[in-house]
Amino acid sequence: MNFIPERYAVELRHLRYFVAVADEKNFTRAAERLHIAQPPLSRQIQQLEEELGVTLIEKGARPVKLTEAGAFFHVHAQELLAKAAELKTMTQRVGKIERTLSIGFVASTLYGLLPRIVRRYRAQFPEVEVTFNEMTTMQQIQALKDGVIDVGFGRVKSEDPNIRRIVLREERLIVALPAGHPRTDMPEAMSLVDLQSETLLVYPKTPRPSFADQVLSVLHERSIRPLKIIEVRDLQIAIGLVAAGQGVAVVPDSVQGMRREDVLFRPLTDRHAVSPVMFSVRKQDRSEELQKMLAVIYEVYDAANIGYIRETL
Ligand code: BEZ
């Protein structure tokens, strides 16, 4: 049997308070974020340091600076808080009678296979209530940890110790051009080098890293510099501005599913111009709904002749 001391004075509250101070690097902003006054926040941090018997925050440093022990504690406190949140959402999920699956997705997946996958899933498992939230990949990671979504379909390969990420496939990138652009008279594929004479619209502007950074790094690897780069909020704005003749955009192949007369698409010859489609879930979540979702995705890939490497949850 594990021995748990009767009075263990470090509580989750202390971890939350410390993480807020370490993240914000400022006691006033941390207190605001926690919706408490600053003096009780300072007292709690002091209590925590007394209980641990080490200094976590350098005295008098502005902005707040963590000691080596403080930086160590920060990383592990974040992990513990994420685990506590996961314990809550996973327990609620196990205890639920009705089956639900909340999906977070980046907009481009909606123009590709996502509708087909969800239609098939609904037909096979009508008892599961499916809901949708459009969000960036980085927002999906937080939403998974907060229990807001159960699965995220995104494009950025970010690492998080509490998230399991499966790369479903690597999708080719293509170029979106305004109708009337000289290239639209030529049916052949384009090369990334052609973008040197163009204004390039990239999205989303925030949060970073994002799909914008993927496109910029593909160009950077080949030392390709477009005439001008304009960062915009999301895919819909980028395509709308392409239609308005403001520039061109590099988008995943599935965006061709968004049919508009004023925008034309051309493939790219560059083989490394790809973007992954990722399936992200909470690390411990192996629920039936997720296993079935992954199986349906692979069924759709098989039917569409799309190459992939099969993974299991
Ligand atoms: C895909 O396009 O590969 C995809 C989109 C959404 C969910 C799963 C896969």
Side-chain angles (χ1 to χ4, degrees), residues 109 112-114 117 153 168-169 171 254 277 297 301:
T109 59
L113 296 174
L114 185 59
I117 288 166
F153 295 116
L168 293 171
R169 66 177 174 124
E171 191 179 2
S254 44
V277 181
I297 292 169
Y301 282 0

Side-chain angles (χ1 to χ4, degrees), residues 103-106 108-115 117-118 152-155 168-171 254 276-279 293 297 300-301 306:
I103 297 175
F105 63 94
V106 292
S108 61
T109 59
L110 205 53
Y111 301 104
L113 296 174
L114 185 59
I117 288 166
V118 174
F153 295 116
R155 294 203 176 262
L168 293 171
R169 66 177 174 124
E170 297 282 354
E171 191 179 2
S254 44
V277 181
M278 254 121 38
F279 175 99
M293 175 50 84
I297 292 169
V300 169
Y301 282 0
I306 290 173

Side-chain angles (χ1 to χ4, degrees), residues 205-253:
K205 203 172 187 165
T206 56
R208 307 300 273 264
S210 71
F211 180 70
D213 300 295
Q214 248 171 43
V215 171
L216 295 175
S217 91
V218 165
L219 294 176
H220 186 74
E221 275 165 28
R222 296 199 47 199
S223 307
I224 294 167
R225 283 199 199 87
L227 274 186
K228 189 173 171 194
I229 293 173
I230 303 178
E231 296 181 343
V232 298
R233 196 183 64 213
D234 58 32
L235 168 64
Q236 288 81 2
I237 306 269
I239 293 294
L241 290 178
V242 169
Q246 195 77 359
V248 305
V250 172
V251 294
D253 185 46

Side-chain angles (χ1 to χ4, degrees), residues 117 120-121 124-125 168 279 288-302 308 310-313:
I117 288 166
R120 195 174 181 119
Y121 186 87
Q124 289 185 24
F125 312 107
L168 293 171
F279 175 99
E288 221 180 303
E289 289 77 22
L290 290 178
Q291 314 233 23
K292 288 170 178 167
M293 175 50 84
L294 195 55
V296 168
I297 292 169
Y298 291 145
E299 280 172 27
V300 169
Y301 282 0
D302 288 339
Y308 62 91
R310 187 177 286 264
E311 297 235 17
T312 50
L313 269 186

Side-chain angles (χ1 to χ4, degrees), residues 61-308:
R62 297 279 178 280
V64 163
K65 193 161 185 297
L66 302 184
T67 61
E68 194 185 340
F72 175 85
F73 191 76
H74 185 207
V75 171
H76 292 278
Q78 282 173 306
E79 280 176 20
L80 270 175
L81 288 174
K83 279 257 172 309
E86 190 175 21
L87 177 65
K88 181 178 164 197
T89 49
M90 294 290 292
T91 308
Q92 286 169 336
R93 213 158 143 65
V94 170
K96 256 191 192 161
I97 312 285
E98 78 277 20
R99 313 313 294 173
T100 60
L101 186 70
S102 178
I103 297 175
F105 63 94
V106 292
S108 61
T109 59
L110 205 53
Y111 301 104
L113 296 174
L114 185 59
R116 204 186 308 176
I117 288 166
V118 174
R119 263 204 315 276
R120 195 174 181 119
Y121 186 87
R122 282 202 161 117
Q124 289 185 24
F125 312 107
E127 72 285 4
V128 182
E129 192 202 337
V130 183
T131 56
F132 293 93
N133 297 273
E134 194 218 332
M135 45 179 82
T136 65
T137 315
M138 300 310 282
Q139 288 165 341
Q140 289 173 21
I141 305 295
Q142 194 54 48
L144 281 166
K145 292 199 276 190
D146 292 342
V148 174
I149 59 168
D150 303 306
V151 57
F153 295 116
R155 294 203 176 262
V156 179
K157 288 182 179 171
S158 80
E159 294 292 338
D160 189 293
N162 302 294
I163 302 296
R164 164 96 194 273
R165 199 192 64 196
I166 294 175
V167 176
L168 293 171
R169 66 177 174 124
E170 297 282 354
E171 191 179 2
R172 294 298 291 261
L173 293 175
I174 58 170
V175 185
L177 304 163
H181 186 285
R183 286 298 307 210
T184 58
D185 290 335
M186 309 175 207
E188 65 268 26
M190 289 176 70
S191 159
L192 286 171
V193 177
D194 297 330
L195 300 177
Q196 301 212 108
S197 53
E198 302 288 347
T199 293
L200 181 68
L201 298 149
V202 294
Y203 67 89
K205 203 172 187 165
T206 56
R208 307 300 273 264
S210 71
F211 180 70
D213 300 295
Q214 248 171 43
V215 171
L216 295 175
S217 91
V218 165
L219 294 176
H220 186 74
E221 275 165 28
R222 296 199 47 199
S223 307
I224 294 167
R225 283 199 199 87
L227 274 186
K228 189 173 171 194
I229 293 173
I230 303 178
E231 296 181 343
V232 298
R233 196 183 64 213
D234 58 32
L235 168 64
Q236 288 81 2
I237 306 269
I239 293 294
L241 290 178
V242 169
Q246 195 77 359
V248 305
V250 172
V251 294
D253 185 46
S254 44
V255 174
Q256 292 201 59
M258 177 202 268
R259 283 192 192 89
R260 316 179 37 139
E261 281 178 0
D262 46 10
V263 176
L264 287 105
F265 298 97
R266 287 287 174 272
L268 277 166
T269 46
D270 313 67
R271 298 204 63 78
H272 73 299
V274 292
S275 167
V277 181
M278 254 121 38
F279 175 99
S280 302
V281 292
R282 285 178 287 275
K283 199 147 218 169
Q284 307 305 328
D285 197 348
R286 291 190 182 80
S287 65
E288 221 180 303
E289 289 77 22
L290 290 178
Q291 314 233 23
K292 288 170 178 167
M293 175 50 84
L294 195 55
V296 168
I297 292 169
Y298 291 145
E299 280 172 27
V300 169
Y301 282 0
D302 288 339
N305 236 339
I306 290 173
Y308 62 91

